[in-house]
Amino acid sequence: MEYAPQGIRVNVVAPGVVDTPLHKDNPKEFLRTLSPLGQISDAKGIAEAVFYLTEASQVTGEVLHVDGGAHLGLACMRLARPSGEGLGSFQITTLWI
């Protein structure tokens, strides 16, 4: 809030898993389990969050999580282990905590 009197707003976009070339070799099925919404973000979703923050003139000091709820913590833990059905095949196990 140090710069608020000068009209400077400070906000953060905190993305979760984003479908980029970084994850090209990661199993998409597993990546979806990392989010309660069961989705993988794309670059457009992150850009929309940034755009929102640029237009919301009364928003400052916020962290906007764009991670499908993953930042809330896990009500359950999902584990992936090789299924033995070939390279890149995983069995997902859900453990409720």
Side-chain angles (χ1 to χ4, degrees):
M1 296 298 128
E2 181 178 342
Y3 297 104
Q6 289 87 16
I8 298 171
R9 298 179 301 119
V10 178
N11 296 295
V12 177
V13 173
V17 176
V18 181
D19 191 11
T20 66
L22 176 69
H23 293 294
K24 71 178 185 317
D25 296 327
N26 301 121
K28 302 292 187 218
E29 178 184 339
F30 172 70
L31 293 176
R32 285 185 189 92
T33 69
L34 301 176
S35 161
L37 289 180
Q39 300 172 1
I40 302 170
S41 298
D42 59 10
K44 181 180 181 222
I46 304 306
E48 289 170 345
V50 171
F51 181 74
Y52 164 74
L53 289 173
T54 64
E55 297 297 310
S57 64
Q58 293 298 306
V59 177
T60 190
E62 291 298 322
V63 176
L64 182 55
H65 297 275
V66 185
D67 63 3
H71 73 281
L72 297 172
L74 298 175
C76 65
M77 179 185 299
R78 292 189 176 107
L79 305 174
R81 59 179 180 223
S83 68
E85 297 176 15
L87 186 63
S89 297
F90 290 85
Q91 176 182 358
I92 307 299
T93 303
T94 302
L95 302 173
W96 291 95
I97 301 172

